[in-house]
Amino acid sequence: MTIIETSLIGTDLGLTGQSGVPAAIGPQKVKDFTSDQEVRWCPGCGDYVILATVRGFLADLGLRRENLMFVSGIGCSSRFPYYLEAYGLHSIHGRAPAIATGLAVTRPDLSVWVVTGDGDALSIGGNHLIHALRRNVNMTILLFNNRIYGLTKGQYSPTSEPGKVTKSTPMGSVDRPFNTLSVALGAEATFAARALDSDRAGLTEVLRAAAEHRGTSFVEILQDCPIFNDGAFDTLRRDTAADHLVPLRHAEPIRFGADREFAVVRDGFGLAVERADRVAESDIVVHDAYADSPEYAYALSRLSDQDLDHVVTGIFRSVSRPTYDDGVRAQTDTARERTPVDSGSLQNLLNGSETWTVGG
């Protein structure tokens, strides 16, 4: 990992998440994104699979390593920048989105990524997360959700299920957990998706779409903590996983199950799961990832429950909206045009009309 200082660099902006970021010269390989640091996660941790998938994806993405910036907070997932041969910041607990916002605003030539966990992002960092989402800063947020605090040795987290017995809840948690995608969509995220750590193809597909999106891309990755919450997502890995996983494909009817025997239909203001042979084909919802209103995507997020009976994966929402960083840079350019910078600008500011003198 390398620490850098930021500076103002102007770049022509386009319409995708990576517009203005210099492309690599020639093809890249996974080893090009593998640092010399020893990977220090517990054996069996889902983070290993995510790391391998991201390294492979970055090689295909084709951007200069010097223009990749991974910002993390505190937690097991936040070791991530050390293990990538790219620039990174291991920052402050819960504040990674705030630091990434500064980078995205001042360095449009960077591809900015945030790596965080369910505790880091949704507890101490909850406020920073929702404001990054509502502002629509051009960055990609990867939230690793293992439903536990791993680095601090097994306390319950904002996504732990009710009744969860941990070191900090010896009689079982009485909290109701966050539905992570509902939180993101409630903050009107312009891109929201979910993937499994063990589904490399599905995760890669989501990462590619997230990187192309201009604005804040939010990706929840469900991953196993074999030490403090082993088997939390086993329901989604067994032979019967097809009965629980609800994959999304834009413009396709939402059906799932080993024989596609289940379907998603409208139910009042929300959505529900029914057996496909008990409903008309016309009643089955056709997924629209580009629906402008967030209500539909929010209804999809409510299908996923804490018992993992149904877990929706794929891209929930991907819509276009002006980004915060583009807006700030536009205002800065306008201000410079109106008030040209000169050698005495700081002193002029200090001596300007917005000053006063306190007499004796």
Side-chain angles (χ1 to χ4, degrees), residues 94 97 121-135:
L122 294 171
S123 187
I124 190 171
N127 201 44
H128 294 281
L129 175 68
I130 61 173
H131 288 298
L133 292 168
R134 77 172 177 86
R135 286 171 171 153

Side-chain angles (χ1 to χ4, degrees), residues 16-19 21-30 32-33 52-70 84 86 109-113 138-140 142 203-213 217:
T16 72
Q18 307 306 324
S19 295
V21 182
I25 300 175
Q28 295 173 312
K29 299 179 180 179
V30 173
D32 295 327
F33 294 93
T53 303
V54 170
R55 283 172 173 169
F57 164 74
L58 291 176
D60 292 336
L61 188 60
L63 298 177
R64 279 170 45 106
R65 291 178 301 174
E66 295 83 354
N67 293 83
L68 287 168
M69 170 58 78
F70 281 77
L84 288 175
D109 64 324
L110 294 181
S111 175
V112 181
W113 299 68
N138 190 36
M139 66 172 78
T140 300
L142 306 181
L203 177 55
T204 300
E205 180 181 341
V206 164
L207 290 174
R208 185 174 294 110
E212 284 298 313
H213 177 72
S217 298

